[in-house]
Amino acid sequence: LGMEFSRINNAQIKVTMNGYINKLLDELDIKDTVVNPAGPNLFNINNKSELLNEKDKKQFHTICAKLLYASKRVRIDIATAISFLCTRVSKPTKDDMSKLIHLLKYLNSTRDHYIILSATNNLQIKAYVDASWGCHHDGKGHTGIYATLGSGPIIAKSIKQKSIGLSSTESELISLTDAYPSIAWLRSFLIEQGHSVGPAIIYQDNNGVLELIKNGSGISAKTKHFKIKYFAIKEKIDNNELTLVKCKTEHMLADIFTKSLQGSLFKTMKNNTMNYST
């Protein structure tokens, strides 16, 4: 898998992919460095940019696949950037390639980054779910999911939404339905191991979603697919499988998986989600 595990103490494990990352960067002869995986205009598409030739297109696709592999195991700090770039593999442009090279330069400056998984006596699933409304060129939003047991990432996902939300509230509701299968699987896995597990806590920073789930206001005016998403989440809450908790926006860890954060905000969120300090 390319992952390296080392025990820090009885409650902490360090996970790296240094060998995998070093091999890729050395093969591509990446020398320069940058401090962020992507610029602030990650989701912007330059329609005037020239398409890549077949050789470069194939290389673009191959590198994206390798970076996606790393992002799903250890390098969750590149999840948003590579998630977007993977939507471009069918018709990549020179502008897309420049964004990919930027990402590689970031990896070159962070070759030794790792995650730390820390155990506690309480097997409480805590998940942070967020969305960016309409950030893609086709009007679709982007979902960010981050879940932990103790501290450190158990689930970390950055994914383009499959349907268009007609409001930020609907986009957040889509993100909850995107997140539920992974969280439900984790909860079921723990139960099957014989552990007593309460409802998974999902932190949300959208007041519209919290009010909607609480009292159902406005449902009658929404479209059918919106109703279905609402009732699907409401059912899980009523069955004591999930509970929604208000989270301040500045504490929303899934924010790093929905947009291209910059500067100190990116560094803080990166350290908090990967569970270490630099």
Side-chain angles (χ1 to χ4, degrees):
L1 294 176
M3 302 167 70
E4 303 168 15
F5 295 80
S6 58
R7 185 180 296 275
I8 299 174
N9 52 49
N10 289 336
Q12 290 185 311
I13 291 177
K14 176 181 177 181
V15 191
T16 71
M17 291 189 75
N18 293 357
Y20 182 93
I21 297 297
N22 289 337
K23 181 181 179 182
L24 175 61
L25 294 175
D26 292 343
E27 287 177 350
L28 296 172
D29 195 29
I30 303 299
K31 301 296 185 184
D32 295 333
T33 61
V34 294
V35 297
N36 288 85
N41 298 320
L42 172 66
F43 291 102
N44 292 352
I45 293 177
N46 183 356
N47 292 320
K48 296 181 180 179
S49 182
E50 183 180 344
L51 291 173
L52 297 179
N53 60 43
E54 284 303 313
K55 179 182 177 181
D56 290 342
K57 176 183 175 181
K58 182 177 180 180
Q59 183 186 42
F60 181 91
H61 196 159
T62 299
I63 296 173
C64 282
K66 290 181 177 180
L67 294 184
L68 182 65
Y69 182 88
S71 75
K72 289 181 175 294
R73 284 154 182 82
V74 174
R75 295 306 303 267
I76 64 174
D77 50 328
I78 69 169
T80 303
I82 195 58
S83 173
F84 168 77
L85 289 171
C86 283
T87 69
R88 304 291 299 160
V89 295
S90 62
K91 293 183 178 180
T93 65
K94 289 185 176 181
D95 183 59
D96 296 322
M97 179 61 87
S98 70
K99 291 177 181 178
L100 180 58
I101 292 172
H102 183 106
L103 177 54
L104 290 168
K105 290 177 181 178
Y106 168 76
L107 281 175
N108 192 39
S109 67
T110 58
R111 288 180 181 237
D112 59 350
H113 272 29
Y114 53 85
I115 60 174
I116 292 179
L117 303 177
S118 301
T120 64
N121 293 326
N122 181 18
L123 288 178
Q124 174 65 64
I125 301 171
K126 295 181 179 180
Y128 297 78
V129 180
D130 196 24
S132 282
W133 175 40
C135 60
H136 288 277
H137 72 285
D138 57 2
K140 294 178 180 177
H142 205 85
T143 292
I145 307 164
Y146 179 81
T148 183
L149 289 170
S151 58
I154 300 298
I155 298 171
K157 294 184 177 183
S158 177
I159 51 178
K160 182 179 179 180
Q161 295 181 347
K162 292 181 174 61
S163 57
I164 297 175
L166 301 181
S167 66
S168 60
T169 296
E170 184 174 357
S171 187
E172 293 282 358
L173 194 56
I174 291 171
S175 71
L176 286 174
T177 56
D178 286 340
Y180 175 72
S182 297
I183 296 170
W185 178 90
L186 177 57
R187 186 172 181 271
S188 296
F189 176 81
L190 293 173
I191 292 173
E192 289 297 322
Q193 304 309 305
H195 299 291
S196 178
V197 180
I201 297 174
I202 296 184
Y203 293 100
Q204 254 287 323
D205 64 357
N206 184 283
N207 289 324
V209 168
L210 295 169
E211 287 298 315
L212 190 64
I213 295 296
K214 180 180 178 180
N215 55 38
S217 62
I219 283 295
S220 60
K222 301 301 179 180
T223 58
K224 182 177 180 180
H225 69 278
F226 193 7
K227 291 181 182 179
I228 291 172
K229 289 180 173 63
Y230 162 76
F231 284 117
I233 296 300
K234 187 69 166 60
E235 180 183 60
K236 306 309 176 185
I237 294 173
D238 292 343
N239 290 341
N240 207 35
E241 298 174 35
L242 303 176
T243 181
L244 288 184
V245 175
K246 170 66 177 178
C247 173
K248 292 183 178 179
T249 299
E250 59 266 29
H251 298 152
M252 173 49 68
L253 296 182
D255 197 41
I256 195 174
F257 303 115
T258 65
K259 55 182 67 71
S260 183
L261 301 180
Q262 302 293 305
S264 60
L265 180 56
F266 168 75
K267 184 176 181 180
T268 297
M269 285 291 186
K270 175 188 69 174
N271 290 351
N272 288 340
T273 54
M274 298 182 81
N275 196 28
Y276 74 99
S277 298
T278 56

